[in-house]
Amino acid sequence: MTDPTARADDAMPDDDIQARNPADASAADPMAVLVKEAADMKDRLLRTLAEMENLRRRTEREKSDTARYAISNFARDVLTVGDNLRRTVEHVPAEAAAQDPALKSFLDGVELTERELLNVLERHGVTRIDPLGQRFDPNCHQAMYEVPNPDVPEGTVVDVMQAGYVIGDRCLRPALVAVAKGGAKATANQGGEAPPKAAND
């Protein structure tokens, strides 16, 4: 006696068998395998292309930063020359220079040399910052001491002992400053930094 179930399966169309066993059908279909492999390869290719583009952009950014900031150490050393030129000018009283033509000529030469040095630095991306009257910025200012002054908002720079410099968008050397205390608290549009602490505190 034959198995009726076996006869029913034999009589079932191929499409119905594939519907009952989709995994077996796809495994047996070489076209489906190729389509899946092609999709996987495309996904891997797109990921590789994206990674290569990110690498290219990162390399270009690092190359640009290297070119811009390569002279940082050299420029920082040269700044001391500019500081000495400025001290020379400030050390001589204006009255003495006015009375002595030779001394005045000497000071004019020193000031000319200082200006040329600053121009050379600027051509290479190094610029001087003068924060007098500005809100204290810990990113490019260094507070040396505080000055009681109720006439200006607390945290305002009221004296600059040494100029600061930036190269590109980075601080090359912070400005040495004195900041006011005892005045009105700074509002949000004046800056949100906390009042600085003096370096000798």
Side-chain angles (χ1 to χ4, degrees):
M1 181 176 181
T2 58
D3 186 357
T5 305
R7 286 198 303 273
D9 287 343
D10 292 341
M12 185 177 297
D14 292 342
D15 293 343
D16 292 341
I17 295 175
Q18 292 179 0
R20 289 175 57 187
N21 301 294
D24 295 341
S26 62
D29 187 358
M31 182 60 69
V33 173
L34 292 175
V35 169
K36 184 176 184 306
E37 288 180 355
D40 291 342
M41 292 296 293
K42 181 179 179 180
D43 180 67
R44 291 169 60 185
L45 176 62
L46 292 177
R47 290 177 183 272
T48 301
L49 290 175
E51 290 175 0
M52 292 301 296
E53 180 63 17
N54 290 337
L55 177 61
R56 184 187 66 80
R57 291 178 180 175
R58 185 166 59 250
T59 302
E60 288 183 354
R61 186 168 57 249
E62 291 174 354
K63 180 180 177 182
S64 175
D65 288 348
T66 299
R68 177 180 296 181
Y69 303 114
I71 66 165
S72 294
N73 291 335
F74 172 75
R76 195 176 293 112
D77 291 339
V78 170
L79 294 182
T80 59
V81 177
D83 294 338
N84 291 333
L85 293 173
R86 176 46 37 189
R87 291 189 190 101
T88 301
V89 173
E90 294 175 348
H91 182 71
V92 179
E95 299 80 9
Q99 294 174 2
D100 187 343
L103 182 58
K104 186 177 187 308
S105 177
F106 169 75
L107 287 180
D108 289 343
V110 172
E111 289 182 330
L112 181 62
T113 304
E114 181 193 28
R115 283 197 299 271
E116 182 61 24
L117 176 63
L118 294 177
N119 290 336
V120 169
L121 289 172
E122 283 191 12
R123 285 200 295 271
H124 292 277
V126 179
T127 55
R128 185 174 181 170
I129 55 174
D130 185 7
L132 187 64
Q134 298 178 6
R135 175 71 177 158
F136 177 82
D137 181 359
N139 296 314
C140 53
H141 305 157
Q142 181 177 343
M144 302 305 293
Y145 59 91
E146 295 179 316
V147 178
N149 188 341
D151 299 330
V152 296
E154 185 167 318
T156 301
V157 175
V158 293
D159 191 17
V160 180
M161 283 128 294
Q162 185 180 74
Y165 290 84
V166 294
I167 179 169
D169 55 358
R170 297 181 184 177
C171 180
L172 182 63
R173 187 183 75 182
L176 305 183
V177 302
V179 294
K181 70 174 182 177
K185 297 293 183 183
T187 58
N189 59 1
Q190 290 175 315
E193 298 90 353
K197 291 185 178 181
N200 56 2
D201 285 353

